[in-house]
Amino acid sequence: MFEKIILAEVTSYHACDDHQFEFKKDHSTTLCTAVVKQTTDYYARRGSHVFACFIDYSKASDKVNYWKLFGQLMDDGVNSYIVLLLTYWYSHQQASVIWMNTRSSTFMVGNGTKQGGILSPYLFSRYIRLLLYNISMSKIGCHIGGMAANVFAYADDVVLLSPSWHGMRDLPAILSGCCKGPDLECNVRKTKCMVVNPTNVDKIVRRSFPCFSIDGQMIEFVSEFKYLGHPYSHPAFSQIK
């Protein structure tokens, strides 16, 4: 109840939040997946390849740095007393582990948003706002009607889209650089890429493309992927070799 009361006092809006689908009324994983698929279809029907990269982060919500997060809230003009209250509340968290009817001694929790907390989805979305902003403003990747359609996110489930191989080569590099600020780490082992061929087979440039990498680690390519629990496939998908 307390979190619900202060929720309206801490929220703010930025144009790049349009790329974030979590914590919004009438938004869902289904809507996010549909937008990604429609963007892919838009380019494929117009004779372009589309490269998609599904980013996986290593326990992103657990790595949120309180002090950076609360600094962002202050930058948004959130009432300083509310920020101080959250600072005290979060920095004095304690937890213990129960295993086989035995409880461990308590220990301090030094980072991360509260699991199941009312504020947590917004706080995490605010925490990675700059990351989405830098990618959407890079002018690299898919654009429709002059609007960036190169990145979509549902919490920490991020997908990058580009109609060119060179664009997709650059987008993960931008993302990797942005991750250093909020102390996020990309799990390359679980990150996947795929390519959609043009609907018109006569527009296919080539059947295979060089692999992409993040921080020197090669990304695995697949012909299908389950994004946000929804199968992400396309009749023109082909596996990169």
Side-chain angles (χ1 to χ4, degrees), residues 34 56 91 114 127 134 171 205:
D56 184 271
S91 62
K114 294 175 179 291
Y127 191 65
N134 286 334
L171 284 176
V205 175

Side-chain angles (χ1 to χ4, degrees), residues 37 39-52 162-165 194-209 234-240:
K37 289 183 177 180
T39 302
T40 301
D41 290 342
Y42 176 88
Y43 275 87
R45 289 196 304 268
R46 286 162 175 77
S48 174
H49 292 274
V50 184
F51 298 86
S162 173
S164 71
W165 182 89
M194 60 174 61
V195 61
V196 179
N197 289 326
T199 303
N200 183 348
V201 295
D202 294 333
K203 299 291 186 179
I204 295 177
V205 175
R206 57 187 298 177
R207 293 292 182 177
S208 62
F209 296 85
H234 189 283
F237 274 133
S238 65
Q239 186 169 355
I240 298 180

Side-chain angles (χ1 to χ4, degrees), residues 159-171:
V159 57
L160 307 174
L161 297 176
S162 173
S164 71
W165 182 89
H166 288 282
M168 184 52 71
R169 179 196 61 184
D170 295 339
L171 284 176

Side-chain angles (χ1 to χ4, degrees), residues 8 29 39-40 51 100 106-107 153 156 173 187 195 203-204 207 212 215-216 223 229 241:
T29 57
T39 302
T40 301
F51 298 86
M100 295 184 66
T106 59
F107 54 90
D156 60 340
N187 186 342
V195 61
K203 299 291 186 179
I204 295 177
R207 293 292 182 177
F212 304 109
D215 296 331
S223 57
K241 299 180 180 178

